[in-house]
Amino acid sequence: MRKWIRISLALAGVSLAACGSSTVSKAAASNVNSKSQKAAPTRVFPIPSGAISGTSPMPNGTLWVLAGNSSSKGIFQINLATGKVVASVSVSNAASAIAQSQTGDIGLGVATPSGGGAIEFYNGRSGGLISAVPLSGGVVALCAGSDGKTFYVLTQVGSAMSVSAVDDTSDKVISTVAAPGGAVSIAVTPSEKHVYVAQPSGIASELTTSSGQIDGQFPVGHSAHFIAMSNDGSTLYVLKGQDPIRNVAVVDLATESVRKVLPAAGSSVGVSLSPDDSQLYDIVGNASYGNIQVFKLS
């Protein structure tokens, strides 16, 4: 049985002071790759500075963002209709990644300076900490499975990488398989039979979740930072490039080829898709500012 832990919740748009200003920079909002397909964001709204990672939008029209610095971090719930921060919760300064399941639970990855790691589970409505599951290494990235209870966690121990499946109802690690060295991001298919991991070299690998067998590898573009799977499982969105020029490769998984390239702002840290795959949310952040830029896909 889970032990509930009391944690303070700040409401009505209050952000953690150490996360700095959430003012949108005009330069940041317009800093997209001119060589990519011509497109402009349909909306841009501020989030706390120092954005590190974000969740996929939920059907209730919100998403959570992990932001901050080495001395103070928090998770912030964003109302996508108003663009306002509606809740915030202080979290470990070692927090490294965030994801949210379809049932609402939040998974927060932790990577300690000593090399240890864990995944912490939070209630997506109240922000309350539910439990924590220790892992063998620091969390590099994570994503939520479609079953509403399984989180897939990319961890690192020395130079070795692995992917663990963690059940947030039993707080147990179900399985662990090896992953390519240097991997930086992970996405899971709707069936949860395969996960994709991306390396900065621009290679994406498809792994079988039950055995870790590599079923395919293909190029997605150099300097990959983050990958997100479309909700229908047909497309992989790869955030790549170096500041100030970044973009998003749209990869057709049936052909394992880049179909087109979309613009992204400099200092982009992650992307996610709306529940109907019609909009791309580009999460942008550095020490000075943060924002979310919304691009129409269809």
Side-chain angles (χ1 to χ4, degrees), residues 176-276:
T176 299
V177 298
V184 293
S185 189
I186 182 173
V188 64
T189 60
S191 68
E192 300 187 43
K193 293 181 178 180
H194 297 88
V195 294
Y196 288 85
V197 296
Q199 298 166 269
S201 62
I203 298 298
S205 302
E206 180 185 8
L207 309 179
T208 301
T209 53
S210 60
S211 67
Q213 175 180 318
I214 297 178
D215 289 340
Q217 290 183 312
F218 51 92
V220 293
H222 199 270
S223 301
H225 297 279
F226 189 92
I227 57 175
M229 177 80 64
S230 63
N231 293 282
D232 64 7
S234 68
T235 308
L236 198 66
Y237 292 82
V238 184
L239 174 65
K240 60 188 183 67
Q242 298 292 338
D243 281 340
I245 304 300
R246 294 199 177 184
N247 54 48
V248 177
V250 181
V251 181
D252 186 326
L253 291 176
T255 61
E256 297 183 342
S257 61
V258 177
R259 186 166 68 242
K260 59 183 176 181
V261 178
L262 303 174
S267 299
S268 295
V269 297
V271 293
S272 61
L273 286 300
S274 61
D276 62 359

Side-chain angles (χ1 to χ4, degrees), residues 83-94:
K84 302 294 185 181
V85 175
V86 294
S88 63
V89 180
S90 295
V91 298
S92 167
N93 294 343

Side-chain angles (χ1 to χ4, degrees), residues 96-99 107-109 119 139-144 151-154 186 226:
S96 56
I98 190 172
L108 187 72
I119 181 170
V139 175
V140 176
L142 74 161
C143 62
F151 285 78
Y152 293 84
V153 190
L154 178 65
I186 182 173
F226 189 92

